[in-house]
């Protein structure tokens, strides 16, 4: 699915390149919500949650790394569903894996539309504040920016094999590190400048910041936000598929996972903790929007521009598997349909010959429009991230790696390891369910006062 993107690095095939891919995949838009998440959970709960999710991700990723080859034939698996099939977990599990993966991919594209629009609006507001003064309202409609982002993605979705462009992963890595480091630097500057907002060991205060019920739901939603920040299991098999066979790819992948997760955890704790110190219990959902859009306005604009550039490319990386799946299924379902199979060659500058297909044009355009409309109806940044994290964390990060490991190692029922692994599965299922409930509750609460297609920054 994404393996061709990951093969572009100069150190391709080693644990160094795999570590870089993991860091690139993990450090993304999820970092923007961590200060808000810690504000809900507090110094103690927030820090513990980051460490626990980090440990679970590292542990289950190591188990998944051992499942990269078919246990009978020994051939490499190239994608997550292929790995599940090779371990004979049953047709229901294969379908469940496919649903979990593609729901996550669709959800991410919707989330990226929301995040990009917020960043575009932030740039416009920043310029407005700089020009008219800090007392100006400078509120703007997000819908216009979602439409602009959607139009860009419609054009890019027609580029053949966009996800195989060699520079894409490099640009994504630079952009994600760029806006994350700028946010961290601004938070440090805010704290060093004498800002002492209200913080506490348990986060937001009941009766002061939130009601008791809102506190509970916000804590659950915060867990989903942290889970989303660590979600990279969807592409772990694809990353591992780029590794050389000597030394064994599973050993290289385990080393890469340890390095990648350790680096991102330190980075996340820094961003989350320093962000909470800077903003306190009033931490915004996206910590790059919490600096008042004041000075240095140009630096905040650069950070938001980095987000936009990162997500413009990342959107296509997540869309391409969806496009391919539907197009392959359609050709298989209607092999003699001219609308499905007809294409004509067109020469494009920089891209060479391109087989233009009316079906691809219509289908891909309809998908992007649909995702954009859904984002305009539900433009709730933290709630959407929390729901995506909750929906993908348990099945893809915990359940399938553990089930495949137990099948591969023939672990006897009710032995100590079998009990430990199943306790972990159940505990993570409960956490994911609570995170999903908190995110759904946040969406429901927002819908009580929000009018569709009227999102304002």
């Amino acid at each position: 699915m994404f393996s061709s993107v990951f093969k572009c690095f100069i150190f391709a095939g080693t644990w160094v390149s795999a570590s870089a891919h993991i860091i690139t995949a993990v450090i993304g838009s999820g970092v923007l919500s961590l200060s808000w998440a810690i504000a809900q959970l507090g110094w103690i709960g927030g820090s513990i949650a980051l460490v626990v999710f980090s440990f679970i991700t590292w542990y289950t990723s190591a188990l998944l790394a051992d499942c990269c080859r078919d246990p009978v034939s020994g051939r490499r698996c190239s994608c997550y569903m292929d790995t599940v099939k090779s371990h004979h977990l049953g047709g229901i599990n294969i379908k469940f894996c496919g649903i979990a993966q593609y729901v996550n991919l669709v959800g991410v594209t919707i989330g990226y539309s929301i995040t990009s629009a917020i960043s575009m609006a932030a740039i416009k507001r920043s310029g407005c504040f700089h020009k008219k003064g800090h007392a100006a309202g400078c509120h703007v409609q997000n819908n216009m920016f979602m439409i602009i982002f959607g139009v860009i993605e419609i054009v890019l979705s027609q580029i053949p094999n966009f996800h195989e462009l060699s520079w894409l992963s490099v640009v994504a890595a630079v952009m994600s590190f760029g806006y994350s480091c700028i946010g961290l630097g601004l938070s440090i500057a805010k704290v060093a400048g004498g800002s002492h907002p209200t913080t506490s060991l348990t986060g937001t205060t009941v009766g002061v910041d939130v009601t008791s019920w809102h506190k509970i739901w916000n804590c659950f939603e915060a867990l989903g936000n942290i889970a989303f920040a660590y979600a990279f299991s969807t592409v772990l098999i694809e990353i591992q598929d780029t590794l050389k066979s000597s030394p064994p790819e599973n050993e290289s992948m385990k080393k890469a996972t340890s390095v990648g997760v350790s680096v991102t955890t330190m980075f996340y704790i820094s961003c989350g903790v320093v962000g909470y110190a800077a903003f306190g219990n009033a931490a915004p959902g996206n910590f790059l929007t919490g600096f008042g859009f004041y000075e240095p306005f140009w630096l905040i604009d650069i950070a938001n521009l980095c987000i936009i550039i990162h997500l413009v490319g990342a959107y296509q990386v997540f869309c391409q598997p969806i496009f391919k799946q539907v197009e392959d299924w359609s050709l298989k379902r209607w092999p003699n349909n001219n609308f499905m199979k007809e294409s004509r060659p067109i020469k494009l500058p920089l891209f060479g010959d391109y087989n233009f297909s009316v079906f691809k044009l219509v289908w891909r355009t309809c998908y992007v429009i649909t995702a954009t409309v859904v984002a305009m109806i539900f433009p709730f940044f933290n709630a959407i991230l929390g729901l995506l994290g909750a929906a993908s964390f348990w099945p893809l990060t915990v359940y399938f790696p553990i089930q495949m490991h137990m099948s591969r190692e023939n672990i006897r029922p009710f032995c100590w390891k079998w009990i430990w692994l199943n306790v972990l599965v159940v505990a993570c299922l409960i956490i994911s369910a609570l995170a999903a409930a908190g995110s759904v509750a946040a969406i429901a609460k927002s819908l009580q006062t929000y009018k569709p297609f009227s999102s304002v920054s």
Side-chain angles (χ1 to χ4, degrees):
M1 217 162 31
F2 306 105
S3 58
S4 55
V5 176
F6 298 130
K7 290 177 180 175
C8 68
F9 278 75
I10 190 170
F11 298 111
T14 69
W15 69 268
V16 177
S17 66
S19 299
H21 298 323
I22 291 172
I23 294 170
T24 301
V26 176
I27 296 179
S29 58
V31 72
L32 301 174
S33 66
L34 290 181
S35 59
W36 178 87
I38 292 183
Q40 311 314 307
L41 299 169
W43 289 117
I44 297 176
S47 300
I48 290 175
L50 283 170
V51 173
V52 168
F53 275 97
S54 170
F55 172 78
I56 293 173
T57 301
W58 166 78
Y59 179 72
T60 57
S61 295
L63 298 183
L64 185 57
D66 285 331
C67 300
C68 71
R69 289 185 179 270
D70 188 299
V72 178
S73 66
R75 71 170 178 83
R76 277 197 185 192
C77 300
S78 59
C79 66
Y80 207 124
M81 284 185 66
D82 189 25
T83 306
V84 174
K85 289 178 183 178
S86 70
H87 285 75
H88 307 291
L89 296 184
I92 294 178
N93 278 292
I94 295 172
K95 291 178 181 179
F96 178 40
C97 176
I99 292 171
Q101 270 196 295
Y102 285 99
V103 165
N104 180 58
L105 293 174
V106 172
V108 167
T109 60
I110 295 171
Y112 282 179
S113 299
I114 297 170
T115 309
S116 297
I118 291 173
S119 293
M120 290 180 188
I123 293 175
K124 184 171 183 179
R125 294 189 70 198
S126 174
C128 175
F129 282 127
H130 182 70
K131 183 178 181 180
K132 298 182 179 180
H134 300 170
C138 293
H139 295 292
V140 296
Q141 287 279 344
N142 289 337
N143 287 345
M144 176 180 65
F145 299 107
M146 290 189 192
I147 293 172
I148 292 173
F149 183 77
V151 170
I152 294 172
E153 296 303 338
I154 288 174
V155 174
L156 294 180
S157 67
Q158 304 306 316
I159 296 176
N161 300 323
F162 182 91
H163 63 298
E164 294 181 7
L165 297 182
S166 60
W167 47 265
L168 185 61
S169 192
V170 177
V171 171
V174 173
M175 293 300 106
S176 59
F177 268 110
Y179 64 72
S180 299
C181 289
I182 290 173
L184 178 60
L186 289 172
S187 297
I188 293 173
K190 189 174 177 68
V191 174
S195 175
H196 299 291
T198 302
T199 64
S200 73
L201 295 177
T202 57
T204 51
T205 304
V206 174
V208 177
D209 302 306
V210 291
T211 65
S212 58
W213 276 107
H214 288 160
K215 172 71 173 179
I216 294 172
W217 291 122
N218 286 351
C219 286
F220 293 159
E221 184 184 348
L223 293 176
N225 277 234
I226 295 174
F228 177 83
Y230 277 106
F232 78 99
S233 296
T234 306
V235 296
L236 187 145
I237 299 297
E238 283 84 351
I239 295 175
Q240 188 163 335
D241 190 39
T242 68
L243 295 176
K244 299 174 182 176
S245 297
S246 180
E249 65 272 5
N250 62 325
E251 296 301 325
S252 297
M253 194 64 195
K254 289 179 182 179
K255 187 175 182 179
T257 298
S258 297
V259 173
V261 173
S262 297
V263 170
T264 53
T265 298
M266 290 188 292
F267 198 78
Y268 276 2
I269 290 176
S270 299
C271 289
V273 168
V274 177
Y276 181 43
F279 298 111
N281 293 340
N286 177 341
F287 83 143
L288 277 178
T289 65
F291 297 101
F293 303 106
Y294 304 152
E295 307 300 335
F297 80 100
W298 57 268
L299 186 59
I300 298 172
D301 287 350
I302 290 174
N304 281 293
L305 183 61
C306 286
I307 294 175
I308 296 166
I309 295 173
H310 175 205
L311 298 187
V312 162
Y315 185 102
Q316 288 300 317
V317 172
F318 283 90
C319 270
Q320 291 296 326
I322 303 171
F323 294 157
K324 186 176 185 303
Q325 178 69 17
V326 172
E327 287 158 12
D328 289 348
W329 177 86
S330 298
L331 287 172
K332 186 177 179 181
R333 178 67 176 81
W334 297 285
N336 298 319
N337 189 299
N338 291 331
F339 178 70
M340 299 292 178
K341 66 180 184 179
E342 278 190 355
S343 62
R344 61 182 66 180
I346 297 176
K347 287 188 177 181
L348 294 178
L350 303 178
F351 295 100
D353 291 335
Y354 168 52
N355 290 323
F356 174 75
S357 168
V358 177
F359 168 61
K360 289 183 178 181
L361 174 64
V362 173
W363 144 240
R364 296 185 179 195
T365 300
C366 288
Y367 175 84
V368 175
I369 291 174
T370 302
T372 303
V373 170
V374 173
M376 293 166 68
I377 296 174
F378 303 104
F380 313 122
F381 177 74
N382 290 94
I384 293 296
L385 292 191
L387 188 59
L388 290 174
S392 62
F393 176 74
W394 181 76
L396 300 177
T397 302
V398 179
Y399 175 74
F400 284 115
I402 287 178
Q403 291 300 314
M404 287 188 288
H405 175 74
M406 291 196 295
S407 172
R408 188 180 190 86
E409 300 298 325
N410 293 317
I411 296 177
R412 293 181 293 104
F414 303 106
C415 69
W416 73 268
K417 189 172 185 180
W418 184 93
I419 293 173
W420 145 245
L421 290 174
N422 279 281
V423 167
L424 180 60
V425 168
V426 173
C428 289
L429 175 60
I430 293 172
I431 292 173
S432 293
L434 293 176
S439 300
V440 171
I443 293 174
K445 178 177 178 294
S446 298
L447 287 175
Q448 291 177 359
T449 55
Y450 169 75
K451 295 180 180 179
F453 306 103
S454 61
S455 174
V456 177
S457 289

